[in-house]
Amino acid sequence: MCFPAPFSVVLTLFVAAAGIGAQSPEVRDPIPPGTRRALLIGINEYAAPPVDVPDLRGCVNDVRRIEHVLRTKYGFDDVRVLLDGDATRRRILAELDRVVQDTRAGDVLFVHYSGHGATQQDQNGDEDDGVDETLVAHDSRTGDVIDIVDDEIDDLLVHLDKAAHTVISFDACHSGGGTRALRSMAIRSRRVPPDSRAHLYASLRPRRMRGDSAYIAIASASPTEEIGRAHV
């Protein structure tokens, strides 16, 4: 099991990758000159039964701290936050699509997800290893609601302006792929097992073929790793 880096490390990597600097009333860094935009998603509480998707600790707090730093230190003027019950599958995909469509050449876009991640058997034959990585939304695995599959995220990100400065950060297991299950009262692993309703994923189409990526991805674990969070 590996442990996620502190949120300050995530922000440091983001700032370096996006090429931005801190802002103050006296010093305003001139590059990049566009809008600084963020979508931050943090989920502690899940609607599915705890035996299927246990609740987490720390994700919402991390997102609130990241929001504060982005606004006060780095001059972000468009920060959208989805926490717990607001972070449904529909809302996450809709907000991700919106920030992608709004981002133009020269803008900075930071997308951060903190919550459960999982894997799912590939249903459409587009994965060399036969496995899709997924993000577990607040309402995932309730009714007919499925996880958010990496193919769906790619189909949105393919529309990013290649001249924008974009960093995507996943604080979840398999987040080179994502995940979390209760290990003890002290450590919670961000791992849940694959969704047993595999047939619901069969309708997802293969990801589109595209050229060079228009964004940088920061993952807290490889597609085969779990992560956990210690509480002391």
Side-chain angles (χ1 to χ4, degrees), residues 83-162:
L83 302 175
D84 287 336
D86 290 332
T88 62
R89 172 184 162 83
R90 183 184 297 273
R91 284 288 305 279
I92 291 172
L93 290 173
E95 289 297 331
L96 181 58
D97 182 51
R98 184 181 303 179
V99 294
V100 167
Q101 297 299 331
D102 287 349
T103 299
R104 300 286 184 265
D107 288 354
V108 172
L109 173 62
F110 179 44
V111 178
H112 177 78
Y113 170 87
S114 183
H116 275 304
T119 58
Q120 193 67 32
Q121 183 177 355
D122 178 28
Q123 296 291 315
N124 54 30
D126 69 330
E127 299 282 0
D128 292 338
D129 61 0
V131 174
D132 282 315
E133 286 76 47
T134 71
L135 302 181
V136 185
H138 168 77
D139 59 342
S140 287
R141 310 188 188 194
T142 61
D144 290 337
V145 181
I146 62 175
D147 297 353
I148 298 173
V149 180
D150 53 6
D151 297 25
E152 299 177 276
I153 298 173
D154 284 343
D155 279 350
L156 295 176
L157 297 181
V158 73
H159 298 291
L160 275 169
D161 192 311
K162 293 184 183 299

Side-chain angles (χ1 to χ4, degrees), residues 35-101:
T35 298
R36 298 182 176 193
R37 179 177 291 108
L39 172 61
L40 309 177
I41 303 158
I43 310 174
N44 285 343
E45 300 176 357
Y46 284 86
V51 67
D52 296 324
V53 186
D55 288 344
L56 296 171
R57 301 173 186 169
C59 300
V60 168
N61 187 56
D62 283 353
V63 164
R64 286 174 173 157
R65 294 169 70 191
I66 290 172
E67 178 189 12
H68 175 74
V69 173
L70 290 178
R71 288 186 184 278
T72 61
K73 187 172 183 179
Y74 294 106
F76 274 65
D77 39 24
D78 182 358
V79 182
R80 306 173 191 188
V81 179
L82 297 178
L83 302 175
D84 287 336
D86 290 332
T88 62
R89 172 184 162 83
R90 183 184 297 273
R91 284 288 305 279
I92 291 172
L93 290 173
E95 289 297 331
L96 181 58
D97 182 51
R98 184 181 303 179
V99 294
V100 167
Q101 297 299 331

Side-chain angles (χ1 to χ4, degrees), residues 185-203:
M185 293 302 292
I187 299 176
R188 294 191 177 213
S189 166
R190 297 187 179 189
R191 181 186 185 282
V192 292
D195 192 341
S196 60
R197 309 161 307 157
H199 64 282
L200 295 178
Y201 294 76
S203 62

